[in-house]
């Protein structure tokens, strides 16, 4: 507390002095002047918070737009039909099944890609021109444990362990050079299987 001398009225009988006080705030080690600005954070703290926020946004975008769900192989099938991409077609098939096909057929992956491209071209042989497919993915039915076990048995274990399976409603219209050439039957479904954490088409669908 610092006394400040001020000018006041003289009391009868002599001079008098008036004092006022400026009161500061106490902190450890002594008094500090009131109104002192709060201590600022170091700039690296703010930079770190910004970097963390950016990372969280990137992760969220990947989870939303790039996640592997049961619709992914169906959408990729449409791209295969439109673009005739043999490599993308093989990605629709479970890895273990492809390994068995390689060992039994004597073909490597490149040979199999060429074979798939040829099959796609034969299937679309009647449609020459720019192919575009409008499609809609509808409701999905979860396959039962019994159905999954029967499916594994029918493939003699060549698919691996099937974790989940779904029958998905799928409707489409196929256009060539802007003119509709084909459309799906009512109630058509596509079967997809989850194996080793990834969704594939049932190979019978190809």
């Amino acid at each position: 507390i610092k006394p400040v001398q001020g000018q006041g009225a003289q009391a009868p009988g002599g001079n008098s002095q008036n004092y006022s006080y400026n009161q500061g705030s106490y902190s450890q080690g002594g008094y500090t002047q009131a109104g002192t600005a709060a201590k600022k954070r170091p700039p690296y703290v703010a930079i770190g918070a910004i970097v963390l926020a950016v990372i969280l946004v990137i992760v969220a975008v990947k989870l939303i737009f790039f996640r592997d769900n049961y619709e992914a192989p169906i959408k990729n099938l449409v791209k295969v039909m439109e673009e005739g991409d043999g490599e993308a077609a093989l990605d629709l098939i479970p890895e273990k099944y492809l390994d068995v096909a390689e060992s039994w057929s004597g073909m490597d992956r490149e040979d199999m890609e060429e074979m798939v491209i040829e099959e796609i071209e034969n299937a679309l042989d009647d449609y020459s021109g720019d192919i575009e497919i409008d499609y809609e993915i509808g409701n999905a039915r979860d396959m039962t444990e019994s159905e999954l076990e029967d499916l594994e048995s029918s493939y003699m274990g060549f698919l691996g362990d099937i974790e989940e399976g779904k029958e998905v409603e799928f409707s489409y219209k196929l256009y060539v050079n802007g003119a509709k050439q084909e459309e799906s039957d009512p109630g058509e479904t596509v079967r997809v299987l989850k194996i080793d954490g990834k969704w594939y088409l049932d190979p019978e669908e190809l």
Side-chain angles (χ1 to χ4, degrees):
I1 300 174
K2 181 181 177 183
V4 179
Q5 183 173 345
Q7 299 293 329
Q10 289 186 355
N15 294 330
S16 67
Q17 292 180 325
N18 291 339
Y19 292 91
S20 63
Y21 295 87
N22 289 335
Q23 186 167 349
S25 59
Y26 182 79
S27 63
Q28 187 175 356
Y31 285 91
T32 59
Q33 187 68 30
T36 302
K39 193 174 182 180
K40 293 183 178 179
R41 292 185 191 177
Y44 61 79
V45 175
I47 293 172
I50 293 172
V51 171
L52 178 60
V54 170
I55 292 173
L56 291 175
V57 169
I58 292 173
V59 171
V61 169
K62 286 186 176 181
L63 288 174
I64 294 171
F65 295 103
F66 301 100
R67 61 189 176 194
D68 182 32
N69 58 33
Y70 71 88
E71 295 183 355
I74 301 174
K75 295 176 180 178
N76 290 336
L77 173 63
V78 172
K79 291 179 66 176
V80 166
M81 294 174 67
E82 289 179 333
E83 301 172 9
D85 188 334
E87 182 177 359
L90 293 186
D91 287 340
L92 301 173
I93 303 173
E95 191 70 24
K96 187 174 180 179
Y97 189 83
L98 290 176
D99 290 339
V100 172
E102 277 187 85
S103 62
W104 280 18
S105 67
M107 295 187 296
D108 59 20
R109 292 297 171 92
E110 187 174 341
D111 293 333
M112 294 175 72
E113 285 177 25
E114 291 176 359
M115 182 188 72
V116 169
I117 292 173
E118 186 176 340
E119 290 295 327
I120 294 172
E121 289 175 348
N122 290 338
L124 300 175
D125 190 46
D126 294 336
Y127 308 126
S128 59
D130 184 24
I131 295 175
E132 184 178 347
I133 299 174
D134 285 345
Y135 67 94
E136 183 175 342
I137 298 174
N139 297 325
R141 180 187 72 84
D142 291 336
M143 296 178 65
T144 65
E145 288 294 328
S146 176
E147 288 174 321
L148 296 179
E149 289 173 3
D150 290 344
L151 194 60
E152 285 183 0
S153 297
S154 69
Y155 280 105
M156 297 182 292
F158 292 157
L159 292 182
D161 294 329
I162 304 175
E163 299 162 13
E164 293 181 58
K166 293 180 183 290
E167 287 186 349
V168 186
E169 295 176 355
F170 176 66
S171 60
Y172 71 89
K173 295 177 182 178
L174 186 148
Y175 296 84
V176 179
N177 296 328
K180 186 174 75 173
Q181 300 292 330
E182 184 181 321
E183 65 181 304
S184 59
D185 297 327
E188 188 166 330
T189 62
V190 175
R191 189 157 55 213
V192 293
L193 309 171
K194 188 176 184 180
I195 300 170
D196 293 331
K198 183 178 178 181
W199 286 95
Y200 297 94
L201 281 181
D202 181 347
E204 287 186 358
E205 302 287 350
L206 293 174

